Amino acid sequence: MSSRSCPVCGEPVPADHRFCGKCGNRMDGGGGPAAADPPGMPGAPAAGPGAAGGGAKTMFFGAIQMPGRAKLILIKGEGMDGVSYQLNGTEHVAGRSDGAILFPEDPLLSPRHANFVYRDSKLHVQDEGSVNGIFVRIRSPMPLDSGGLFLVGEQLLQIDASAPDLGPQPDAEGTYFYASPKRPSKMKMVQRLRGGEIGMIFRARNDVITIGREGNDVNFPDDPFISGRHAQVNMSADGRFTLVDTGSKNGTFLRITDEAPLNHGDYVFLGQQLLRVEIT
């Protein structure tokens, strides 16, 4: 039986066949694939992008995340992932009542608390004048200013340089106040309680304060989120402070002063919300 070549794919087609058996091209001059062969059936070309390859698969349509952009994942109890927030815009305000990322039931959040913004293709978080601040989990030793705040477990702690000790001073009549001896100290750590009150004050006798659940300079045995040896603050010879996480399970979080860059895998505390940063 005589045959002819398909003008589309070059396959030999019997002269009495109206359609090419390989690509489905109509051979009687009408053009197009056989009407009897719907997409996906033998003799019909693949539909959609990548059809020429013959093996392309249709992708499931879902939430689109732009390359180089980030998302925030809310961490629930026991470290489980919760709701995720795509950061595909330029800025993304989070708070109790103002913004795109809202936690209306969190009393520790300000109405407009934080803003996640991109600058030079880099994600940053900035404080929008919140009352309780933004805390970022440290990955390596970080500088800590005098008066700086950080979180260890459920404890909000503040480090301060001690004022120079001038020794006992008499009152206007020359009488000295009777009290316990004051030991020399270059720095002190203050526990900040809810409501703004001052809790424990620890005055260091050397240049290091260790913090944990037991066996440290400062211990919080009833805090279930603190590791045995959790963190420490070091003071250098020139009076600078450094905050160090000593291998804790739940991390040490430093309060940012204004704005901080964020990387893939960072953790951010806003009010009572713990968020993990993921960047594609």
Side-chain angles (χ1 to χ4, degrees), residues 108-113 127-133 255:
L108 301 183
L109 284 176
S110 296
R112 183 183 176 97
H113 196 104
D127 196 318
E128 293 287 291
S130 67
V131 172
N132 292 309
R255 181 171 179 172

Side-chain angles (χ1 to χ4, degrees), residues 169-178:
Q169 299 295 314
D171 63 12
E173 297 179 343
T175 304
Y176 286 84
F177 183 77
Y178 180 78

Side-chain angles (χ1 to χ4, degrees), residues 65 69-73 84-87 118 123 276-280:
Q65 184 175 3
R69 296 286 169 159
K71 64 180 176 180
L72 301 175
I73 298 177
S84 63
Y85 304 89
Q86 302 287 345
L87 306 182
Y118 291 101
L123 181 65
R276 186 177 73 246
V277 178
E278 289 194 359
I279 301 176
T280 55

Side-chain angles (χ1 to χ4, degrees), residues 115-157:
N115 195 359
F116 295 87
V117 300
Y118 291 101
R119 292 200 178 89
D120 299 324
S121 301
K122 176 73 174 178
L123 181 65
H124 293 71
V125 60
Q126 64 183 27
D127 196 318
E128 293 287 291
S130 67
V131 172
N132 292 309
I134 300 167
F135 294 81
V136 178
R137 183 173 180 171
I138 65 173
R139 293 174 177 262
S140 59
M142 293 292 293
L144 182 64
D145 295 332
S146 180
L149 295 167
F150 59 98
L151 281 172
V152 172
E154 294 183 313
Q155 311 304 317
L156 177 60
L157 305 173

Side-chain angles (χ1 to χ4, degrees), residues 176-236:
Y176 286 84
F177 183 77
Y178 180 78
S180 300
K182 184 179 179 180
R183 62 185 185 182
S185 173
K186 295 181 180 179
M187 62 175 169
K188 64 180 179 180
M189 191 176 71
V190 180
Q191 181 188 30
R192 304 298 299 270
L193 304 178
R194 288 187 177 180
E197 297 182 9
I198 300 297
M200 173 206 65
I201 299 177
F202 176 81
R203 298 181 183 275
R205 306 189 76 170
N206 50 42
D207 297 334
V208 178
I209 300 176
T210 59
I211 309 160
R213 197 172 56 248
E214 57 187 6
N216 303 275
D217 296 321
V218 179
N219 299 295
F220 299 97
D222 298 325
D223 190 329
F225 301 103
I226 288 185
S227 298
R229 291 187 61 84
H230 197 110
Q232 68 184 46
V233 177
N234 302 331
M235 184 177 186
S236 64

